[in-house]
Each structure stands twice: as structure tokens, then as C-alpha cells.
Amino acid sequence: QGIGPISTPRNRRLTASILRRADGIVVRDAKSRDLLLEIGVPDKLIVVTADHETGGMGMASLRHHYNQRLDLLAHQRMSKDAFAEWTSSVIKSGNAPAWEDMKGELARRVGLFGAVAVDEADEEALKALYETTLSHMGGDKKSTLYSSFDRFTDKVYDLMSALTGVGWTTGDHSGAVVPVFAEGEGQQLFAPAQDNVDIPVKIMKAVGL
């Protein structure tokens, strides 16, 4: 976990006093590790690692294969989360734009119907989802590990991925490796690549538990 901020001298002393009794400490970033050393926690064994990577970015699409149009991403002005919040506010206001006006908003905020050309079939699919989302006050949601999106927003960004050749292979954790750094007694146990579930086992072994 992260450590800090610990601002007052009294809290720094109390934190150090408690943590010195631990056999081992696992933190998730280098700044936390540095803070531990700064307040006087000995580095018998400090392990720094990360949560699973999330996103799974893929550089290909069924439409363009490996011929990406990365230049088109320069016209995307909003993240998916920000666009979903904007869509929700528009729906709640009761003043949602007509479809032709929404196309203008999409061109300005994302690039679709502007720099990013949209064919008739994709437009019909987007329009249908937009109208469904409006009529159902947001409709059902598509959930990922950390967020949920209305179906219209989800389709907008799926279409951007398809048209630019850059996509996301998962909305959850991917299988990408993350770094592990160990310093102190038993650090050699963490040298090879390992499954993340082996890390706590190796920590316990290093501290003699």
C-alpha cells in the first residue's frame, strides 16, 4: 500500500515506532519506500510492486488491421469517462440535442462526423443507441472493472477504436507483467519472473514465517 503523507513530527515518530515491529513491509510505489527510510524504518526487506496492469491496449482492428490512423486521435478531446458524464448531464437536463446537433457535438468532442468519417451504417447504429439512451434516461449500463458507461458512450468509443485502429482488449486487468523491486534480506528470492500470488509467499519465507 501507499505510505503518507505523514506531516507532523509526532505522527512520523509514531508511524516509525509501529512499523519497526513488522517483519516485512510491502509498498506500491518508490516514494512510499523512500518515506519509510526517511522516518527511520530499517530496510530489512522492502518490496515495491504494482497492481495489475489495466487496459490491454491493442494496435490493430478488424477494419484497418495494422494500418492505424493515429492522427485521428488528435481530434478526441474527451476521455470516455468525461464523455459519459457529459452525456448523463445532458440527459438529466431534459434539453438533449436533436441527432443532427449531437453529430456536431461528437465532431467537436470526439472527432466523429468531423475529422473521423462515419459511414451510413455506423451512423444509424449510433443514432439508434442515442435515442434509446435518451428514452430510457441513460438505459442499461455496460460495466468494466472500475467504471460503467451508457450504451451510447460505449458505442462512440468502440467506433473510435475501430476507425483509428487502436483498441482496448479488456475492461479489466490484463495479463501484462508489472515490475517488482526488492531490497534487503531475502531480496534474491524476487529475482526471476513470478506469479503475483507467489510474492506474499516469498515475503513470508524471507522473514522466516
Side-chain angles (χ1 to χ4, degrees), residues 126-140 151:
L126 271 180
K127 182 180 179 181
L129 276 174
Y130 178 61
E131 293 174 348
T132 300
T133 300
L134 287 181
S135 64
H136 291 84
M137 294 298 289
D140 62 328
R151 296 289 176 175

Side-chain angles (χ1 to χ4, degrees), residues 39-92:
I39 65 177
V41 178
D43 56 343
K44 291 182 179 179
L45 176 62
I46 295 179
V47 178
V48 181
T49 188
D51 198 354
H52 308 278
E53 188 268 352
T54 302
M57 187 176 184
M59 301 295 287
S61 74
L62 292 175
R63 298 194 189 199
H64 294 292
H65 302 288
Y66 292 99
N67 300 313
Q68 288 85 26
R69 288 295 310 277
L70 302 183
D71 56 301
L72 297 177
L73 293 174
H75 301 278
Q76 181 180 316
R77 306 295 184 185
M78 299 181 77
S79 69
K80 188 175 182 179
D81 291 275
F83 186 85
E85 290 179 10
W86 175 78
T87 301
S88 177
S89 68
V90 166
I91 293 171
K92 290 176 181 177

Side-chain angles (χ1 to χ4, degrees), residues 27-202:
V27 293
R28 65 185 178 193
D29 56 75
K31 287 184 178 179
S32 295
R33 179 255 186 201
D34 293 342
L35 179 57
L36 290 175
L37 297 178
E38 182 183 322
I39 65 177
V41 178
D43 56 343
K44 291 182 179 179
L45 176 62
I46 295 179
V47 178
V48 181
T49 188
D51 198 354
H52 308 278
E53 188 268 352
T54 302
M57 187 176 184
M59 301 295 287
S61 74
L62 292 175
R63 298 194 189 199
H64 294 292
H65 302 288
Y66 292 99
N67 300 313
Q68 288 85 26
R69 288 295 310 277
L70 302 183
D71 56 301
L72 297 177
L73 293 174
H75 301 278
Q76 181 180 316
R77 306 295 184 185
M78 299 181 77
S79 69
K80 188 175 182 179
D81 291 275
F83 186 85
E85 290 179 10
W86 175 78
T87 301
S88 177
S89 68
V90 166
I91 293 171
K92 290 176 181 177
S93 72
N95 296 311
W99 175 243
E100 288 302 317
D101 294 325
M102 174 54 78
K103 287 167 63 176
E105 293 290 347
L106 288 170
R108 185 168 68 87
R109 297 172 186 274
V110 186
L112 295 176
F113 300 104
V116 185
V118 179
D119 66 24
E120 185 176 341
D122 285 327
E123 178 177 349
E124 286 301 313
L126 271 180
K127 182 180 179 181
L129 276 174
Y130 178 61
E131 293 174 348
T132 300
T133 300
L134 287 181
S135 64
H136 291 84
M137 294 298 289
D140 62 328
K141 305 284 187 178
K142 180 177 179 180
S143 297
T144 65
L145 186 62
Y146 296 111
S147 301
S148 61
F149 303 98
D150 62 85
R151 296 289 176 175
F152 175 63
T153 295
D154 195 57
K155 178 64 176 177
V156 165
Y157 283 81
D158 278 352
L159 184 56
M160 276 295 291
S161 293
L163 295 177
T164 59
V166 178
W168 305 95
T169 59
T170 176
D172 297 319
H173 291 310
S174 76
V177 297
V178 296
V180 180
F181 303 95
E183 225 179 296
E185 298 175 12
Q187 64 184 30
Q188 71 280 359
L189 296 172
F190 302 88
Q194 60 222 300
D195 195 301
N196 65 321
V197 297
D198 291 333
I199 293 176
V201 176
K202 292 182 177 182

